[in-house]
């Protein structure tokens, strides 16, 4: 029964995360990026706050950690997710997820630099292999299509790096923060800030919003956000760290298949060939079991 539960959770997380980037692309078809991200967070935060209230989970970090909670709001939610949705306007959702599949690699690098964590030769090999493969993918996509330029790739690499640093700082501080505490208040604060910022900077017009974009935004907030958080948290709790982390290898495949089916877009032949060494590199870095914070760190990178 436990294996069935873990398998079901694994499939649900892969499906949820695999559809997130496609939903982001649909959302920004008629809704400005900042405003869409704010709507996304505002849809998720009430449910997260209600769940925290029902389960009697505190909304604030412990004393001495509340400045860090503000940093989580800005550097985990507001800025990274805004950059992600901006990147979705020019980069395919499949390529975006290939980039974000390197989260374990980014966390390993941050842990080595910030925490001086010990590693082994195999993990270093995986690190080099993953970075080299991703570089070839980006170069190939820039050469083969007009949909990927270095500035666009950097727009997606920046939030990847921010999330990796925030994960590592959580571990460095050694603070045991409940998943709902980590997500609910920062999500609400970031959502409000982005709604206000988007209103003044982007001048959204409600009448221009299509029902498809509104539904995609609600999907991002409620399904990919709240439901995704709960499923991944449960997967971390019931399965191993390795099982939870291997999600990063599979959800890009789902995104690539969906984008090919709906839009007829796929990666270049060279990029598809490089997915194998890229996956091998990520797997080797996952041998570093302590790289990804477990359970209490509020683990959620590319999915609210």
């Amino acid at each position: 029964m436990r294996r069935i539960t873990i398998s079901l959770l694994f499939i649900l997380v892969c499906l949820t995360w695999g559809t997130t980037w496609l939903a982001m692309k649909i959302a920004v078809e008629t809704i400005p990026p900042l405003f869409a991200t704010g709507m996304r967070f505002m849809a998720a935060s009430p449910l997260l706050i209600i769940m925290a209230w029902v389960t009697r989970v505190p909304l604030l970090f412990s004393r001495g950690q509340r400045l860090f909670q503000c940093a989580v709001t800005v550097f985990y939610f507001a800025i990274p997710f805004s950059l992600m949705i901006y990147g979705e306007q020019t980069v395919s959702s499949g390529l975006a997820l290939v980039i974000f599949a390197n989260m374990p690699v980014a966390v390993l690098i941050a842990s080595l630099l910030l925490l001086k964590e010990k590693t082994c030769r195999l993990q270093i090999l995986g690190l080099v292999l993953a970075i080299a493969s991703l570089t070839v993918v980006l170069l190939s996509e820039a050469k083969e299509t007009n949909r990927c330029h270095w500035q666009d790739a950097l727009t997606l690499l920046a939030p990847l790096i921010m999330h990796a640093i925030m994960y590592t700082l959580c571990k460095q501080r050694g603070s045991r923060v409940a998943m709902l505490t980590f997500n609910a208040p920062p999500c609400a604060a970031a959502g409000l800030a982005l709604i206000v910022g988007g209103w003044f900077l982007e001048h959204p017009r409600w009448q221009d919003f299509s029902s498809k974009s509104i539904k995609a935004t609600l999907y991002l907030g409620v399904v990919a956000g709240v439901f995704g958080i709960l499923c991944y948290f449960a997967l971390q709790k019931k399965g191993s760290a390795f099982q939870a982390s291997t999600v990063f290898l599979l959800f890009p495949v789902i995104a690539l298949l969906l984008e090919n089916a709906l839009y007829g877009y796929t990666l270049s032949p060279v990029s598809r060939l490089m997915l194998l060494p890229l996956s091998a590199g990520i797997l080797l870095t996952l041998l570093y079991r302590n790289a990804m914070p477990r359970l209490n760190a509020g683990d959620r990178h590319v999915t609210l």
Side-chain angles (χ1 to χ4, degrees):
M1 185 63 185
R2 183 172 176 271
R3 287 185 178 180
I4 295 175
T5 301
I6 292 174
S7 298
L8 181 60
L9 288 170
F10 187 87
I11 292 170
L12 287 174
V13 173
C14 286
L15 288 174
T16 302
W17 288 13
T19 54
T20 296
W21 289 83
L22 187 60
M24 288 169 64
K25 184 175 288 294
I26 296 172
V28 293
E29 286 179 357
T30 60
I31 305 176
L34 284 181
F35 201 80
T37 307
M39 287 176 60
R40 170 188 189 174
F41 289 155
M42 294 306 290
S45 56
L47 296 175
L48 293 171
I49 291 172
I50 289 172
M51 285 190 292
W53 179 71
V54 170
T55 55
R56 298 183 179 180
V57 171
L59 291 177
L60 296 178
F61 284 24
S62 60
R63 290 179 182 241
Q65 298 287 344
R66 290 175 185 171
L67 186 60
F68 182 63
Q69 189 172 24
C70 295
V72 170
T73 300
V74 176
F75 297 107
Y76 185 90
F77 285 94
I79 296 177
F81 283 97
S82 297
L83 290 174
M84 289 177 202
I85 204 164
Y86 269 110
E88 271 288 276
Q89 293 181 305
T90 52
V91 176
S92 74
S93 57
L95 178 58
L97 273 173
V98 168
I99 293 174
F100 267 81
N102 286 270
M103 180 61 71
V105 178
V107 173
L108 176 57
I109 294 173
S111 297
L112 292 174
L113 294 177
L114 299 179
L115 304 183
K116 309 300 181 185
E117 295 274 12
K118 293 182 179 180
T119 186
C120 68
R121 291 179 181 178
L122 277 179
Q123 291 153 357
I124 295 297
L125 174 62
L127 198 65
V128 174
L129 188 59
I131 293 175
S133 300
L134 181 60
T135 301
V136 173
V137 169
L138 295 177
L139 287 171
S140 175
E141 291 303 298
K143 181 180 179 181
E144 295 289 334
T145 73
N146 294 322
R147 302 180 64 182
C148 177
H149 302 286
W150 279 110
Q151 58 268 34
D152 303 324
L154 288 175
T155 301
L156 294 174
L157 286 171
L160 175 72
I161 294 169
M162 287 184 191
H163 276 184
I165 291 174
M166 294 307 295
Y167 282 133
T168 306
L169 290 177
C170 283
K171 184 180 177 183
Q172 184 183 48
R173 289 171 171 266
S175 56
R176 298 183 64 82
V177 179
M179 178 270 294
L180 289 172
T181 306
F182 186 92
N183 285 277
C187 178
L192 181 60
L194 291 172
I195 285 283
V196 173
W199 182 265
F200 286 103
L201 295 175
E202 298 173 329
H203 309 292
R205 290 162 47 90
W206 291 100
Q207 58 269 35
D208 294 336
F209 296 179
S210 69
S211 61
K212 187 168 68 169
S213 291
I214 293 173
K215 290 175 183 177
T217 305
L218 292 175
Y219 175 85
L220 287 168
V222 177
V223 179
V226 178
F227 182 71
I229 286 176
L230 295 177
C231 286
Y232 191 61
F233 175 74
L235 179 62
Q236 281 189 311
K237 188 174 182 179
K238 294 182 179 295
S240 66
F242 183 81
Q243 287 172 322
S245 297
T246 50
V247 169
F248 289 94
L249 296 174
L250 294 183
F251 68 77
V253 176
I254 295 173
L256 288 168
L257 292 174
L258 280 174
E259 191 166 35
N260 180 256
L262 295 177
Y263 297 102
Y265 175 79
T266 187
L267 295 177
S268 68
V270 173
S271 296
R272 293 198 299 271
L273 183 64
M274 295 308 299
L275 290 181
L276 185 59
L278 178 63
S279 300
I282 294 172
L283 276 174
L284 287 174
T285 61
L286 287 175
L287 295 174
Y288 192 67
R289 295 300 181 88
N290 294 322
M292 300 294 288
R294 272 180 67 82
L295 295 179
N296 295 309
D299 199 355
R300 260 298 293 135
H301 77 291
V302 17
T303 48
L304 255 182

